[in-house]
């Protein structure tokens, strides 16, 4: 199971770093990603990190978010800066046993493992 943490309540313009503990047995081709779901909306992808180090961000967070991995600590991070009220959502990390990025494009949303989510609330 994946375990997210780091969510919280911040004001507009603030920053948060989300963490996701991933299994230690990950190897070979895989990708990890952050998704979010706001009340009444569908879950949407935020950022993905492929096993070759390729990262892709959706337009709404590009330039404000950084996805990274600490392999030694089996942890996936999502650093978000200049947070906006529209970033308010429950954030989930996902793990896929296949590559998800090709030529700089996020090509696969088939994630088999999910965490329980961590809430991010941005107030104006």
């Amino acid at each position: 199971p994946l375990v997210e943490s780091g969510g919280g309540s911040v004001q507009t313009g603030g920053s948060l770093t989300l963490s996701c503990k991933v299994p230690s047995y990950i190897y070979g081709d895989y990708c990890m990603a952050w998704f979010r779901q706001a009340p009444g909306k569908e879950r949407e992808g935020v950022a993905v990190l492929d096993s070759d180090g390729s990262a892709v961000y959706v337009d709404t967070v590009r330039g404000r978010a950084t996805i990274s991995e600490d392999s030694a600590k089996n942890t996936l991070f999502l650093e978000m800066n200049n947070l906006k009220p529209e970033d308010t959502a429950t954030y989930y990390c996902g793990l896929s046993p296949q590559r998800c990025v090709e030529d700089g494009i996020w090509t696969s949303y088939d994630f088999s493992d999910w965490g329980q989510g961590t809430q991010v609330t941005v107030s104006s």
Side-chain angles (χ1 to χ4, degrees), residues 18-22 32-34 49 67-70 74-78 93-94:
L18 308 181
S19 301
C20 174
K21 200 73 172 178
V22 301
M32 297 180 288
W34 287 96
L49 182 64
I67 187 171
S68 62
E69 175 188 16
D70 185 332
N74 300 317
T75 304
L76 178 72
F77 299 99
L78 180 70
C93 61

Side-chain angles (χ1 to χ4, degrees), residues 57-97:
Y57 303 87
V58 296
D59 290 344
T60 51
V61 303
R62 187 175 296 117
R64 302 188 295 121
T66 302
I67 187 171
S68 62
E69 175 188 16
D70 185 332
S71 299
K73 297 182 179 179
N74 300 317
T75 304
L76 178 72
F77 299 99
L78 180 70
E79 179 183 356
M80 294 194 67
N81 302 303
N82 191 22
L83 284 161
K84 305 175 180 181
E86 50 264 44
D87 293 317
T88 295
T90 301
Y91 284 70
Y92 301 88
C93 61
L95 174 65
S96 173

Side-chain angles (χ1 to χ4, degrees), residues 6-10 14-18 78-81 83 119-121:
S9 297
V10 297
S15 300
L16 281 174
T17 297
L18 308 181
L78 180 70
E79 179 183 356
M80 294 194 67
N81 302 303
L83 284 161
Q119 179 66 37
V120 172
T121 302

